[in-house]
Amino acid sequence: MPRYRLDIEYDGSPFVGWQKQANGPSVQGALDAALGAFAGGHTVPRGAGRTDTGVHALQQVAHVDLERAWEPDKLRQALNHHLLPAPISVLAAAKVSDVFDARFSATQRHYLYRILVRPSRPALDHKRVWWLRHRLDAAAMHRAAQSLVGHHDFTTFRAAACQANSPMRTLDQIAVAASGDEISLTVSARSFLHHQVRSIAGSLKLVGEGQWPEARIAEVLAAKDRSQCAPLAPPAGLYLAGVDYE
């Protein structure tokens, strides 16, 4: 069975997440239905990351095994046709080796968290940013975030229901930058814990507001205690921004 890599963009607002579930529509389920509509027998597409309810993707990567070979551009076009009107777009399709695995072959994942800081609510970016009415100190947030770079026990920034075997993770890069009314948090690592980026965003927001000193981020990390984490940032501002492979 030929295997294909799919690079996918989606607005996560109407979905219960990437993974197919019984409690509502999923991105994986929409792709599964679109594949079934024109390709017949297939395996369910497997993604590089299981984004949660309301989380978006600029570049999710999935692989799928099909019963017959397809010209990649025709596969992309057919999928996009059958995905309508769902807010999902297949950006690229490519035939790959059967050893390629969208999840396990990934060497790094990149996430983006967007915060809009202005008095007026967003119209065009509704459900696509975390809207805050007051200003944040992005420089202080960036400085505080650097204590998270490296190999650490991220229990404080891990969901209580996280199913990962270990809280140990290595953050390769984290940055906070302001541009106009928007603050962006970018984080890169080989793998992430459940709710890790949203937990970090929620905690850095308190630094930006001045409620927490910059040193507090290092202190709550060292505590290895979920109760020390700030409230979770909402899913609307989070994007899977890219996945790297060898």
Side-chain angles (χ1 to χ4, degrees):
M1 298 175 71
R3 177 165 292 187
Y4 291 87
R5 167 180 166 165
L6 306 175
D7 288 50
I8 308 153
E9 174 185 86
Y10 53 83
D11 176 351
S13 303
F15 301 108
V16 295
W18 162 263
Q19 193 169 6
K20 207 171 183 180
Q21 299 176 54
N23 63 331
S26 67
V27 179
Q28 188 183 50
L31 284 163
D32 184 30
L35 283 162
F38 74 90
H42 59 273
T43 57
V44 175
R46 298 185 179 183
R50 297 177 181 177
T51 55
D52 289 336
T53 301
V55 175
H56 318 293
L58 302 176
Q59 188 210 18
Q60 169 73 280
V61 177
H63 76 263
V64 63
D65 297 323
L66 301 180
E67 293 288 344
R68 51 156 286 195
W70 290 81
E71 195 276 319
D73 275 350
K74 288 186 177 179
L75 175 60
R76 175 184 56 80
Q77 292 169 7
L79 275 170
N80 283 333
H81 172 75
H82 288 282
L83 281 166
L84 290 171
I88 305 171
S89 179
V90 177
L91 304 177
K95 194 174 184 301
V96 291
S97 163
D98 59 6
V99 300
F100 175 83
D101 187 289
R103 180 182 176 190
F104 295 112
S105 299
T107 58
Q108 197 168 58
R109 293 165 174 84
H110 308 278
Y111 278 91
L112 164 68
Y113 196 93
R114 298 174 60 201
I115 304 173
L116 182 68
V117 283
R118 71 182 192 192
S120 301
R121 62 177 176 81
L124 299 180
D125 278 332
H126 178 57
K127 293 187 178 181
R128 295 183 180 90
V129 293
W130 185 8
W131 170 48
L132 299 173
R133 292 178 175 86
H134 50 271
R135 291 287 168 183
L136 299 178
D137 186 339
M141 294 167 69
H142 176 79
R143 291 190 297 268
Q146 301 317 300
S147 62
L148 302 175
V149 175
H151 189 64
H152 303 289
D153 181 328
F154 280 95
T155 296
T156 299
F157 299 98
R158 175 189 191 185
C162 180
Q163 297 179 357
N165 293 328
S166 170
M168 305 302 296
R169 289 294 184 272
T170 302
L171 288 194
D172 298 311
Q173 178 268 345
I174 184 167
V176 181
S179 179
D181 291 334
E182 187 166 319
I183 291 175
S184 61
L185 165 66
T186 54
V187 190
S188 299
R190 185 183 183 97
S191 62
F192 290 87
L193 299 165
H194 192 203
H195 286 171
Q196 185 177 359
V197 179
R198 290 171 59 196
S199 296
I200 291 170
S203 296
L204 290 176
K205 176 245 192 187
L206 295 186
V207 173
E209 291 175 331
Q211 294 191 52
W212 279 11
E214 293 174 29
R216 179 69 176 152
I217 296 297
E219 292 169 358
V220 299
L221 172 68
K224 304 174 188 176
D225 179 357
R226 179 65 184 170
S227 69
Q228 297 297 306
C229 188
L232 199 63
L238 185 59
Y239 296 73
L240 176 57
V243 187
D244 295 342
Y245 297 89
E246 292 289 350

